[in-house]
Amino acid sequence: MKLLTANFVQCSVKACSATPKCFPLHFDQQTADVPLELAHEDVDFSPEFIYNILPRIDWPALLITARELGNNMLPETTPEIENPNAPENEQILRDLHTLLLETQIIQGSMRCENCNHIYFIRDSIPNFLLPGHLVQ
Amino acid sequence: MFPTPSTSHVDYDQVYEPSEDSFLFLDLLQEERSFIQERFSDSSKLGIPTVLELGLGSGIITTFFHNYILPQALFLGTDVNPHACKTALETSRANNGTRYFDVLRTNIWDGLRPNTVDVLLFNPPYVPADNLGSYESSIKSDDWLDFALLGGEDGMQVTKIVLDQLDFVMRDRGVAYILFCFRNKPEEVAKAMTDRGWSVKKIGERKIRWEILSIWRFSR
């Protein structure tokens, strides 16, 4: 699972989806069975692709996810970029490319702050299936 | 005609084998290509589109989509079947891959944030059946093929949930492509969705043996 995907998912327990705490899910507590494992996976760099992703990002949530995964390099707010192909923007777009697209969460777990349910990621695939007693 | 993605690596004991319904999907998406490309040509303000496929199976539809219909997109897909989740990623990679494709193992789109999807692709379990398998029994037996096919009453049990939640999941410019068989009563569905404010169009149909399959487009 790419780091950016954490920006598109939330707790799948129905009662949590009505609360703001269902998002983002948190990486701050990992388990011994499925320890957090990150990997770098090369992806072709396209400045426009990253530039066009920016409007899709919930930036405060991304900051939380990145920090919990050990990255404190992000600016506090969405970078304001006018021309993705201008040389002065290349570094920030490359950094975002590395963080959002090339950072694979191979395994680990994500926790809902509201209900504390743990969602495991294995083989880069997060599992949002709920045990029977949590399905309404 | 664009070539069908290669699926020679797929184990069809574990994952739904691409069949006439899948191929109809590919053929009709090809006819929708200019509509889709035009609709999502400007990514600078609204951002890059997200394409979600429900029930990925082999991953052939998403792979075809990123290769030939809309390469510049974020691709997400879901399946309850863990073998399908892995296989769909492999199919994408085996056919040159794309910049962004992640798979969630989940029931329909549980766990996905609301207001996320620009293009929805759904070849559902559409075959009418007395009962619908539960994923808990499939987890126990590790047998997923019926689950990919059987759709409960009128074959609409899963599709109905998707249609009922479409408003929450799709973004403003969203467009959903959903396959129906004749016994799903697609004309009735189209009318109900039109009443709910969706613009609905049958983009094509094909008679396959005793069945008539059609794909419908739902847009805002």
Side-chain angles (χ1 to χ4, degrees):
Chain A
M1 177 180 135
K2 292 178 190 292
L3 189 143
L4 177 57
T5 297
N7 217 257
F8 299 135
V9 296
Q10 64 180 32
C11 183
S12 61
V13 175
K14 292 271 186 304
C16 292
S17 59
T19 78
K21 284 185 176 174
C22 69
F23 172 79
L25 295 170
H26 293 277
F27 291 90
D28 54 350
Q29 295 171 21
Q30 298 295 321
T31 66
D33 310 353
V34 190
L36 184 67
E37 184 187 336
L38 304 178
H40 178 94
E41 189 184 273
D42 284 333
V43 176
D44 288 342
F45 175 61
S46 156
E48 289 89 359
F49 194 82
I50 294 293
Y51 172 73
N52 289 331
I53 285 175
L54 290 178
R56 303 296 313 273
I57 296 177
D58 182 315
W59 199 265
L62 176 66
L63 280 175
I64 294 171
T65 303
R67 278 180 191 145
E68 288 174 355
L69 292 174
N71 180 309
N72 294 305
M73 304 296 281
L74 285 176
E76 286 299 312
T77 54
T78 310
E80 287 186 22
I81 292 171
E82 293 212 345
N83 174 7
N85 293 309
E88 67 267 26
N89 294 324
E90 183 174 338
Q91 194 56 51
I92 176 77
L93 290 170
R94 275 200 185 273
D95 289 348
L96 285 169
H97 172 81
T98 301
L99 183 70
L100 302 176
L101 303 192
E102 297 190 315
T103 307
Q104 272 286 348
I105 304 161
I106 303 289
Q107 62 166 39
S109 57
M110 302 180 285
R111 176 184 66 86
C112 170
E113 198 178 349
N114 196 54
C115 70
N116 274 312
H117 186 72
I118 302 278
Y119 296 91
F120 288 103
I121 302 164
R122 289 187 180 90
D123 298 326
S124 290
I125 298 168
N127 185 351
F128 286 92
L129 290 178
L130 295 171
H133 67 277
L134 289 173
V135 181
Q136 291 88 355
Chain B
M1 285 288 281
F2 295 117
T4 304
S6 156
T7 51
S8 55
H9 57 284
V10 181
D11 178 353
Y12 295 124
D13 289 333
Q14 295 181 318
V15 175
Y16 184 73
E17 180 169 1
S19 307
E20 282 90 345
D21 49 356
S22 326
F23 300 129
L24 178 65
F25 226 111
L26 303 190
D27 291 348
L28 292 180
L29 283 176
Q30 194 162 321
E31 291 178 15
E32 285 288 288
R33 188 167 179 254
S34 35
F35 171 86
I36 293 167
Q37 290 187 344
E38 194 171 317
R39 193 174 178 97
F40 299 104
S41 57
D42 181 16
S43 291
S44 58
K45 286 202 181 64
L46 289 166
I48 197 161
T50 302
V51 179
L52 172 72
E53 182 180 359
L54 301 176
L56 286 161
S58 63
I60 192 174
I61 294 176
T62 285
T63 300
F64 186 85
F65 207 87
H66 71 56
N67 276 2
Y68 305 117
I69 310 296
L70 197 65
Q72 301 296 322
L74 305 176
F75 288 87
L76 295 172
T78 72
D79 209 299
V80 280
N81 174 355
H83 309 294
C85 291
K86 279 184 203 164
T87 300
L89 289 169
E90 287 163 11
T91 300
S92 172
R93 278 192 213 110
N95 292 273
N96 299 321
T98 186
R99 281 205 180 83
Y100 192 100
F101 177 32
D102 258 345
V103 171
L104 319 179
R105 186 177 177 209
T106 192
N107 186 36
I108 308 183
W109 41 33
D110 292 352
L112 194 73
R113 298 217 76 206
N115 194 25
T116 303
V117 178
D118 294 283
V119 180
L120 178 75
L121 306 170
F122 187 30
N123 180 8
Y126 60 80
V127 176
D130 289 341
N131 45 37
L132 187 71
S134 79
Y135 63 74
E136 294 190 320
S137 65
S138 285
I139 288 171
K140 285 195 193 96
S141 60
D142 200 29
D143 183 356
W144 302 91
L145 297 187
D146 278 355
F147 202 80
L149 204 60
L150 302 182
E153 191 184 348
D154 287 340
M156 281 294 288
Q157 212 160 316
V158 183
T159 305
K160 189 177 178 313
I161 296 171
V162 169
L163 294 170
D164 287 347
Q165 297 179 356
L166 211 52
D167 270 321
F168 301 105
V169 176
M170 303 297 286
R171 298 176 80 208
D172 286 345
R173 59 175 175 170
V175 52
Y177 292 94
I178 303 177
L179 182 140
F180 293 83
C181 75
F182 184 72
R183 288 175 293 168
N184 298 154
K185 303 175 187 159
E187 309 280 348
E188 285 178 27
V189 171
K191 187 174 177 314
M193 291 301 282
T194 306
D195 290 346
R196 279 148 67 175
W198 289 86
S199 166
V200 184
K201 185 181 179 222
K202 179 163 73 177
I203 60 164
E205 68 178 19
R206 187 175 290 169
K207 192 164 185 301
I208 292 154
R209 292 185 294 275
W210 62 87
E211 193 59 275
I212 301 171
L213 302 180
S214 54
I215 294 180
W216 295 68
R217 183 177 82 196
F218 302 84
S219 54
R220 303 243 204 211

